[in-house]
Amino acid sequence: YVICTPVIKGYSPELIVLPLLPEHDPFHLQQVPPEVVDKAVAALQPWVKRLTCLVVGPGLGDDELAVATSEALIRAAREAGIPLLVDGSGINIITRTPSLVQGYQKCVLTPNIAELGRLAQAVGVKLEGGIGNQWQQHAQEVAAAYGGPLLISKGPTDIITDGQCSITCSVTAALKRCGGQGDVLAGVVATLMSWSNKSARASPPGDGIPDHPFTVAAYAGCSLMRAASFQAFHVAERAMVAGDVVRSVRPAFKQVFEGHV
């Protein structure tokens, strides 16, 4: 389901849309009315219970009413034990209130370099020097400060860490990174998180599945996304946009997971 403001309802016939996310008029509303947030969350609760993973952030923006509702949904998802992925504008919500996800193992954070810096600052982790790829060397320290969530630090090489150990994904990717590419990654990883969560519940102890099944989902998602972007760039070159990457997910999936080109 796409939880959004009503205006997006008619955007695409392919989307299953829940137009229940409120937004306010920034020129007239001075404060976020708690009763409006409560009403929106109450309307969404029956749908939240159906979710196998909640993704917060892509396309969200910084509207205070939408942000307050999203924060309440994060709390509801955590209380229900629903896997959670936070990306884009959702990262800003976490930097304002880190306790929303601290200690929650069923959570994945997917910051780019700038967002990694904000996540670090929110929990008192100092990153040396100006913004740059060198900040990624602190990804494990940042994840450790959140004490539970898995962190995917997106960059020239993707670093996946739970704060105790780290793995890297360096599958060949496109020479260009386009707007919306991180949103596609969020959707891909969330899908794999859902599969991993079901697999973990269905598997007996001691069958070789990692303690944190989302590590596998994160690595698989990064590998798939990087391969898809490479294929998309091969076709569209400098004109590549996120839609090209989406169309490349299917052949990339066969290449990465089934050994077919």
Side-chain angles (χ1 to χ4, degrees):
Y1 307 104
V2 178
I3 301 171
C4 59
T5 55
V7 69
I8 301 177
K9 177 65 177 175
Y11 178 73
S12 170
E14 299 176 352
L15 300 177
I16 302 175
V17 173
L18 301 177
L20 300 173
L21 191 65
E23 64 178 345
H24 76 272
D25 181 350
F27 298 105
H28 295 92
L29 187 62
Q30 300 300 318
Q31 295 182 337
V32 175
E35 63 276 10
V36 176
V37 174
D38 293 342
K39 183 178 180 180
V41 173
L44 286 166
Q45 278 287 5
W47 301 96
V48 170
K49 293 177 181 178
R50 301 184 184 187
L51 300 181
T52 55
C53 185
L54 174 65
V55 180
V56 177
L60 180 64
D62 296 319
D63 177 271
E64 285 297 329
L65 190 50
V67 166
T69 304
S70 299
E71 181 176 327
L73 285 175
I74 290 174
R75 296 183 190 278
R78 180 169 182 171
E79 290 175 2
I82 296 171
L84 171 69
L85 185 144
V86 184
D87 179 58
S89 298
I91 297 291
N92 295 332
I93 298 175
I94 303 306
T95 58
R96 296 198 312 188
T97 314
S99 60
L100 283 171
V101 297
Q102 282 180 315
Y104 190 45
Q105 287 194 324
K106 289 187 176 182
C107 176
V108 174
L109 306 174
T110 60
N112 58 27
I113 299 298
E115 292 163 347
L116 178 65
R118 293 197 289 273
L119 285 172
Q121 184 178 23
V123 290
V125 176
K126 294 184 178 180
L127 305 184
E128 299 298 330
I131 183 173
N133 296 331
Q134 76 278 0
W135 280 3
Q136 285 191 286
Q137 65 186 342
H138 298 285
Q140 183 168 322
E141 185 181 357
V142 175
Y146 281 86
L150 191 72
L151 188 147
I152 301 175
S153 174
K154 299 178 294 191
T157 296
D158 297 327
I159 299 177
I160 302 160
T161 176
D162 62 359
Q164 299 182 20
C165 61
S166 301
I167 59 174
T168 60
C169 181
S170 55
V171 172
T172 303
L175 295 176
K176 170 188 176 181
R177 186 171 185 87
C178 60
Q181 193 167 327
D183 298 345
V184 180
L185 174 66
V188 167
V189 173
T191 299
L192 295 169
M193 286 169 63
S194 298
W195 295 352
S196 294
N197 194 49
K198 290 181 180 179
S199 176
R201 291 201 307 264
S203 302
D207 66 353
I209 293 179
D211 292 338
H212 203 313
F214 294 163
T215 300
V216 177
Y219 184 84
C222 289
S223 299
L224 176 56
M225 185 64 198
R226 295 174 72 92
S229 71
F230 180 80
Q231 292 193 21
F233 186 82
H234 179 73
V235 175
E237 298 180 335
R238 295 293 176 184
M240 183 185 83
V241 294
D244 298 313
V245 180
V246 172
R247 285 186 286 273
S248 297
V249 168
R250 178 181 175 274
F253 188 98
K254 294 179 72 67
Q255 174 190 344
V256 173
F257 301 119
E258 300 178 15
H260 302 303
V261 178

